[in-house]
């Protein structure tokens, strides 16, 4: 990571856009176009089946293939993804967590193949590989939801990767400690700093105690730990957060791990600004939000990001087009090359305002770190549900402030009148769409791959992986053998599922409440829920379901909390359910409404499957409502298919949504909604 001497102009950060969809070949074409436009790093978005360790033809992959990223199922896909891109010269970020070891092994194997094809020493090429695997499993249990294995074996996979890369791929960052999703899940700046550093402690302690790294090499380990953070629109506070991160990381690595090299102790981080803070209403306002959020992580030279990727203005509407991503890249280039930002030292040294805010965040984060460490560390605080319940409660409070108008969201809860946007005119497709044929082709392709490979070598490689998993051996070498043999993503993951088991994390819903909600309105809706229940003859029950592989559970959790607070009995079983599992739960629990949350773009596949499943079970009288990032034409199609209501991010008032759900239940039971009052 470049740090010029004082007085020199700072070097621009690595500029990325988060990209990947449809297929490896289509994504490769996109990457090459982005690099030609001046992008200096790649950020690979994998689809949800890849992120959660499933092949395209698995039942849970239905509707998810190629939607939010690129499917990579085996070494052939990885070759196609980086065709014509010399990996020894690239800087690649891979957003992958539970299967991080698998994807890095595929990447390393392709780098070896490229080197051998050019007559180079592959070990020298692999030693030059630069980039990052996100690989922070703790935050997956707390926010993003793409975990697979329980915490202990997940931590082992991370430990093995860290040890392997430090010794064999020394320029690679084997983990991004990722506070990005913690902020999306509700974390305050203090919680974001504290929980990210608690995760770092868990990882570094595990590496130190594994015996795979000599004590004198802990500086090398610390020097390869990077962070991936979120930057919200309160850019002064966010900048102070980054300075607090820098101060605490230097202190932690010096005092806990004895790292004396100041360069190794530098806080190294990349950033994506707050995608879930972008609005569907008046989406053109997202442009200025993105620019202001970028300033939060670039203004302070002593705490400046060394890699930045910006979302596109229309990501609240769906998948951005190449032009939208180009616009986001140009924002970075204008700041780095046209302004004088990089000419100066730190702009905030000596500021009493900044120093006071940083000190406040540092003090609060230290206290929270001590609290978590007192519980036994980050893993224990995940397993007990403590950190998750803290985040759900924080997000409930954030929503309360937005709904009450204390926090102004321009175009959403204030200044709502607007002119028609030329960026969304009727003759313009405002988002990229993925052809449903992509999934069919991916299923055909992986079945062909399995039929044509050497299955004896595959079986031997998988057996070697299972055998290694039963010991304390580092699992990277066994994984590399699986890559070369032609094992698939789903097969690698399933082999480890058999040894490690699967995991369902605490939802955090039971301990959270929308405390402070405007009392009169929530009481009125609670009265309606009770009155409707009395008319029907039993308490109203709602099932909140997350079908498919979409792990963005924040919205579903907040719906569950508000439904309970307005008097519903709530059934919420967490993420990653098949439509048939949701149908079975709805029938068994005798619910009065099913609410589905889908943010991954799979709504046209998984939602009709639930509706049809209820009909087939004789429960067609249970209405289905849906919330998520759903374009208007898809919403119309879902309603035509029998969905009672469709809510999108512009429907932000949860108590109002609960009021509408009471209407839906009343209509289903032939009760005049107007007659049910609170």
């Amino acid at each position: 990571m470049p740090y010029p001497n004082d007085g020199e102009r700072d070097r621009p950060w690595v500029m990325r856009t988060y990209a990947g969809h449809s297929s490896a070949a289509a994504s490769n074409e996109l990457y090459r176009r982005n690099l030609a436009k001046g992008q200096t790093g790649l950020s690979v978005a994998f689809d949800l089946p890849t992120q959660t360790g499933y092949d395209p033809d698995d039942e849970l992959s239905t509707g998810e293939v190629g939607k939010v990223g690129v499917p990579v199922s085996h070494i052939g896909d990885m070759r196609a993804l980086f065709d014509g891109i010399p990996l020894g010269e690239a800087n690649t970020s891979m957003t992958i967590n539970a299967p991080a070891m698998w994807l890095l092994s595929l990447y390393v194997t392709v780098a070896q193949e490229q080197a051998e094809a050019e007559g180079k020493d592959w070990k020298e090429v692999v030693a030059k590989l630069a980039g990052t695997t996100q690989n922070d499993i703790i935050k997956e249990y707390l926010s993003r939801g793409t975990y697979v294995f329980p915490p202990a074996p997940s931590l082992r996979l991370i430990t093995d990767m860290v040890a392997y890369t430090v010794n064999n791929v020394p320029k690679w960052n084997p983990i991004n400690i990722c506070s990005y999703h913690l902020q999306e899940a509700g974390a305050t700046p203090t919680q974001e700093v504290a929980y990210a550093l608690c995760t770092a402690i868990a990882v570094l302690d595990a590496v130190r105690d594994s015996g795979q790294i000599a004590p004198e090499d802990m500086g090398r380990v610390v020097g390869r730990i990077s962070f991936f953070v979120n930057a919200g629109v309160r850019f002064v506070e966010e900048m102070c957060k980054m300075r607090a991160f820098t101060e605490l990381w230097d202190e932690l690595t010096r005092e806990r791990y004895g790292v004396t090299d100041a360069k190794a102790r530098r806080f190294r981080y990349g950033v994506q600004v707050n995608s879930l803070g972008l609005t569907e209403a008046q989406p053109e306002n997202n442009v200025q939000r993105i620019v202001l959020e970028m300033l939060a992580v670039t203004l302070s030279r002593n705490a400046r990001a060394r890699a930045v990727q910006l979302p596109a203005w229309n990501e609240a509407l769906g998948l951005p087009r190449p032009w939208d991503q180009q616009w986001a890249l140009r924002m970075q280039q204008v700041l780095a090359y046209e302004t004088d930002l990089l000419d100066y030292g730190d702009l905030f040294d000596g500021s009493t305002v900044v120093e006071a805010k940083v000190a406040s965040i540092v003090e609060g984060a230290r206290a929270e770190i001590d609290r978590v460490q007192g519980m036994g560390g980050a893993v224990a605080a995940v397993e007990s549900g403590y950190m998750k319940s803290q985040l759900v409660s924080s997000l409930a409070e954030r929503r309360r402030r937005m709904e009450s108008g204390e926090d102004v969201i321009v175009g959403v809860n204030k200044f709502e009148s607007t002119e028609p946007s030329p960026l969304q005119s009727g003759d313009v497709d405002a988002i990229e769409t993925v052809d449903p044929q992509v999934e069919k082709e991916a299923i055909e392709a992986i079945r062909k791959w399995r039929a044509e490979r050497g299955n004896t070598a595959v079986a031997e490689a998988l057996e070697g992986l299972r055998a290694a998993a039963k010991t304390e051996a580092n699992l990277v070498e066994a994984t590399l053998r699986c890559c070369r043999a032609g094992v698939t993503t789903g097969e690698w993951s399933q082999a480890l599922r058999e040894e490690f088991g699967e995991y369902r994390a605490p939802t955090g819903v039971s301990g959270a409440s929308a405390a402070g909600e405007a009392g009169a309105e929530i009481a009125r809706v609670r009265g309606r829920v009770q009155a409707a229940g009395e008319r029907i003859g039993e308490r109203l029950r709602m099932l909140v379901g997350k079908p498919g592989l979409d792990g963005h559970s924040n919205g579903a959790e907040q719906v569950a909390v508000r439904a309970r607070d307005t008097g519903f009995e709530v059934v919420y079983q967490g993420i990653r359910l098949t439509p048939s599992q949701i149908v079975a739960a709805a029938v068994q629990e005798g619910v009065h409404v099913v609410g589905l949350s889908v943010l991954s773009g799979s709504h046209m596949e998984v939602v009709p499957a639930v509706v049809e499943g209820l009909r087939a079970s004789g429960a067609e009288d249970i209405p289905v409502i849906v919330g998520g990032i759903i374009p208007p034409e898809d919403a119309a199609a879902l309603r035509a298919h029998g969905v009672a209501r469709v809510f999108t991010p512009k429907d932000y008032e949860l108590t109002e949504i609960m009021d509408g759900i009471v209407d839906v239940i009343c209509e289903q039971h032939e009760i005049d909604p107007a007659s049910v009052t609170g």
Side-chain angles (χ1 to χ4, degrees):
M1 167 174 149
Y3 276 82
N5 297 322
D6 289 342
E8 293 182 16
R9 190 175 197 270
D10 200 3
R11 300 175 192 175
W13 49 89
V14 175
M15 299 182 189
R16 297 182 171 121
T17 51
Y18 182 55
H21 64 83
S22 301
S23 67
S27 298
N28 172 262
E29 180 183 349
L30 178 62
Y31 294 163
R32 294 212 256 183
R33 285 163 61 188
N34 286 347
L35 290 169
K37 293 172 183 175
Q39 188 173 301
T40 53
L42 296 172
S43 181
V44 182
F46 295 99
D47 72 353
L48 286 175
T50 305
Q51 290 186 51
T52 51
Y54 293 100
D55 288 334
D57 56 350
D58 192 280
E59 180 188 5
L60 271 168
S61 299
T62 302
E64 309 280 17
V65 178
K67 287 282 174 65
V68 300
V70 57
V72 174
S73 302
H74 46 68
I75 188 66
D77 286 341
M78 190 64 87
R79 290 173 187 142
L81 187 63
F82 291 104
D83 182 42
I85 301 174
L87 297 188
E89 303 168 18
N91 189 305
T92 304
S93 168
M94 292 193 280
T95 301
I96 197 73
N97 293 284
M101 181 184 289
W102 172 246
L103 272 299
L104 177 62
S105 296
L106 290 173
Y107 189 86
V108 168
T109 303
V110 169
Q112 291 176 350
E113 292 177 348
Q114 288 183 350
E116 289 166 353
E118 296 176 9
K120 297 178 180 178
D121 183 339
W122 68 262
K123 291 184 179 179
E124 291 184 5
V125 172
V126 168
K128 293 178 182 176
L129 294 181
T132 301
T133 30
Q134 190 175 105
N135 199 21
D136 171 1
I137 206 67
I138 297 294
K139 71 93 172 54
E140 294 302 309
Y141 303 125
L142 297 176
S143 51
R144 179 61 185 86
T146 61
Y147 55 81
V148 176
F149 314 111
S154 295
L155 195 55
R156 174 192 173 177
L157 291 173
I158 295 169
T159 299
D160 286 356
M161 270 188 68
V162 172
Y164 179 84
T165 54
V166 165
N167 291 319
N168 297 281
V169 198
K171 292 187 176 180
W172 191 266
N173 301 327
I175 185 170
N176 265 148
I177 307 295
C178 186
S179 72
Y180 176 86
H181 301 92
L182 301 182
Q183 185 182 115
E184 289 190 338
T188 64
T190 296
Q191 289 173 325
E192 187 179 342
V193 172
Y195 296 162
L197 292 180
C198 285
T199 297
I201 290 170
V203 170
L204 288 171
D205 282 0
V207 172
R208 179 195 61 195
D209 298 342
S210 72
Q212 298 188 64
I213 296 291
E216 61 270 20
D217 285 339
M218 279 304 292
R220 293 173 59 207
V221 174
V222 167
R224 295 325 311 170
I225 302 296
S226 63
F227 289 74
F228 188 68
V229 306
N230 203 331
V233 77
R234 291 172 58 85
F235 70 95
V236 175
E237 182 176 60
E238 294 291 275
M239 183 272 295
C240 291
K241 177 187 75 181
M242 299 321 306
R243 289 172 70 98
F245 250 135
T246 300
E247 179 180 328
L248 283 168
W249 180 244
D250 184 76
E251 174 188 296
L252 172 68
T253 53
R254 182 181 65 253
E255 296 182 1
R256 189 178 183 97
Y257 302 105
V259 179
T260 56
D261 182 357
K263 184 177 180 181
R265 295 198 310 267
R266 284 174 179 156
F267 185 74
R268 305 161 59 253
Y269 77 98
V271 65
Q272 159 107 2
V273 307
N274 187 11
S275 291
L276 285 192
L278 305 181
T279 63
E280 177 189 18
Q282 299 181 28
E284 62 275 9
N285 293 335
N286 294 329
V287 175
Q288 49 265 35
R289 290 187 180 107
I290 292 166
V291 171
L292 290 169
E293 290 165 348
M294 175 173 55
L295 291 178
V297 294
T298 54
L299 280 177
S300 177
R301 180 170 178 173
N302 293 341
R304 182 169 291 152
R306 301 317 307 184
V308 177
Q309 59 190 47
L310 302 181
W313 68 279
N314 55 350
E315 285 196 19
L317 307 176
L319 190 68
R321 303 157 298 185
W323 182 85
D324 306 312
Q325 293 193 325
Q326 175 183 297
W327 192 359
L329 174 63
R330 296 295 184 244
M331 292 177 194
Q332 296 198 58
Q333 291 169 329
V334 169
L335 180 63
Y337 296 108
E338 291 191 27
T339 77
D340 59 349
L341 174 67
L342 302 183
D343 292 345
Y344 300 99
D346 199 287
L347 305 178
F348 303 100
D349 284 351
S351 165
T352 55
V353 172
V354 169
E355 288 175 357
K357 184 63 178 176
V358 171
S360 173
I361 295 173
V362 165
E363 181 182 1
R366 278 201 190 108
E368 189 64 10
I369 290 169
D370 289 345
R371 188 173 295 112
V372 171
Q373 293 308 115
M375 296 175 181
V379 170
V382 165
E383 292 174 333
S384 71
Y386 169 75
M387 286 201 287
K388 180 65 173 179
S389 65
Q390 292 294 106
L391 295 177
V392 173
S393 295
S394 291
L395 188 55
E397 169 60 16
R398 186 189 297 170
R399 290 201 64 91
R400 183 200 66 78
R401 293 196 308 270
M402 181 181 71
E403 292 179 19
S404 68
E406 291 177 51
D407 288 354
V408 172
I409 311 295
V410 173
V412 175
N413 64 0
K414 197 166 187 177
F415 312 115
E416 297 169 56
S417 61
T418 183
E419 299 296 328
S421 170
L423 293 172
Q424 297 176 272
S425 58
D427 58 345
V428 175
D429 291 328
I431 57 172
E432 187 87 19
T433 57
V434 176
D435 190 333
Q437 185 65 22
V438 163
E439 185 165 311
K440 295 178 183 177
E441 291 173 355
I443 291 171
E444 291 171 3
I446 196 162
R447 289 175 177 167
K448 183 173 185 241
W449 175 268
R450 293 195 196 106
E452 295 179 354
R453 68 188 178 181
N455 284 315
T456 299
V458 166
E460 291 174 353
L462 287 171
E463 184 53 39
L465 177 65
R466 292 188 191 96
K470 290 182 172 73
T471 71
E472 296 183 358
N474 189 301
L475 295 177
V476 175
E477 288 294 348
T479 297
L480 287 166
R481 287 192 290 273
C482 288
C483 294
R484 291 188 285 268
V487 167
T488 69
T489 298
E491 290 168 339
W492 179 86
S493 300
Q494 182 58 30
L496 293 183
R497 281 185 175 97
E498 292 168 7
E499 299 303 323
F500 297 154
E502 286 197 77
Y503 187 69
R504 294 196 70 79
T507 66
V509 167
S510 61
S513 173
E517 170 71 16
E521 181 61 13
I522 203 167
R524 184 187 69 81
V525 175
R526 189 185 297 118
R528 291 197 73 213
V529 170
Q530 182 177 349
E534 290 171 354
R535 295 277 289 275
I536 293 170
E538 56 184 338
R539 185 181 176 190
L540 298 191
R541 288 183 296 281
M542 179 194 303
L543 184 148
V544 178
K546 289 287 296 178
L549 297 175
D550 174 25
H552 278 113
S553 60
N554 302 333
E557 289 155 3
Q558 292 304 309
V559 166
V561 169
R562 191 62 55 87
R564 190 194 61 213
D565 286 351
T566 51
F568 283 92
E569 180 180 333
V570 177
V571 178
Y572 177 56
Q573 299 173 326
I575 63 171
R576 213 176 301 166
L577 299 171
T578 63
S580 59
Q581 287 173 322
I582 290 172
V583 168
V587 172
Q588 181 178 346
E589 298 288 345
V591 300
H592 299 94
V593 63
V594 170
L596 303 177
S597 170
V598 185
L599 293 170
S600 64
S602 63
H603 47 268
M604 293 306 297
E605 291 83 12
V606 295
V607 174
V610 172
V611 173
E612 290 161 9
L614 289 171
R615 288 173 181 161
S617 299
E620 63 273 8
D621 59 332
I622 302 177
V624 175
I625 60 173
V626 184
I629 299 176
I630 301 174
E633 59 273 19
D634 287 357
L638 290 174
R639 285 191 291 267
H641 201 93
V643 171
R645 296 281 194 282
V646 177
F647 299 99
T648 66
K650 69 177 181 295
D651 304 300
Y652 68 93
E653 292 187 351
L654 289 180
T655 306
E656 188 174 297
I657 290 173
M658 296 303 130
D659 203 24
I661 292 172
V662 175
D663 291 346
V664 168
I665 294 171
C666 288
E667 290 163 2
Q668 187 66 41
H669 289 266
E670 299 182 345
I671 299 170
D672 179 7
S675 69
V676 179
T677 59

